[in-house]
Amino acid sequence: MRWLSKTNRLRPRLARPRKNRIILALKSRNHVVGFLATASTTRLPSTRRNVGVSVATAVDVAKDAADIILLERDLDVLHAGILEGRRAFGNVMTVPC
């Protein structure tokens, strides 16, 4: 899978076997892999990806397989949540024991 590059992040509209190969190739290079699924055909087993993301309007199968369900159809919400979590973790680490 030489065509995978560090600058490419999105791979829309791929067949499921190809998605699996891409995810496994990235994980073999120690990349953290997230996967956004909205339909039952795009759901991947939890062993293939590090984080599964879905949206509230997705089919039940996709939501059941997700680790995170976004209430808004916007990935900026996920980014904001990560930043807030890091900020909270930093605050906890500064408290003396």
Side-chain angles (χ1 to χ4, degrees):
M1 306 215 89
R2 287 180 282 157
W3 55 271
L4 286 174
S5 79
K6 293 180 180 179
T7 58
N8 294 329
R9 294 180 182 223
L10 298 177
R11 300 265 177 213
R13 297 186 183 157
L14 295 174
R16 186 175 176 156
R18 186 144 182 153
K19 290 176 191 175
N20 286 336
R21 287 200 326 261
I22 290 170
I23 290 171
L24 292 175
L26 289 170
K27 286 184 75 172
S28 72
R29 295 179 184 175
N30 296 321
H31 289 274
V32 175
V33 179
F35 190 79
L36 176 64
T38 57
S40 59
T41 57
T42 58
R43 187 182 72 79
L44 287 176
S46 59
T47 57
R48 297 281 167 105
R49 42 118 175 117
N50 294 103
V51 179
V53 181
S54 189
V55 291
T57 57
V59 297
D60 289 340
V61 174
K63 290 190 291 189
D64 289 343
D67 299 307
I68 300 169
I69 299 175
L70 301 176
L71 299 178
E72 299 177 25
R73 292 183 64 101
D74 185 1
L75 290 176
D76 289 334
V77 174
L78 184 59
H79 182 251
I82 291 169
L83 294 178
E84 184 62 31
R86 288 179 178 171
R87 198 169 15 261
F89 181 75
N91 289 340
V92 169
M93 295 306 292
T94 60
V95 175
C97 296

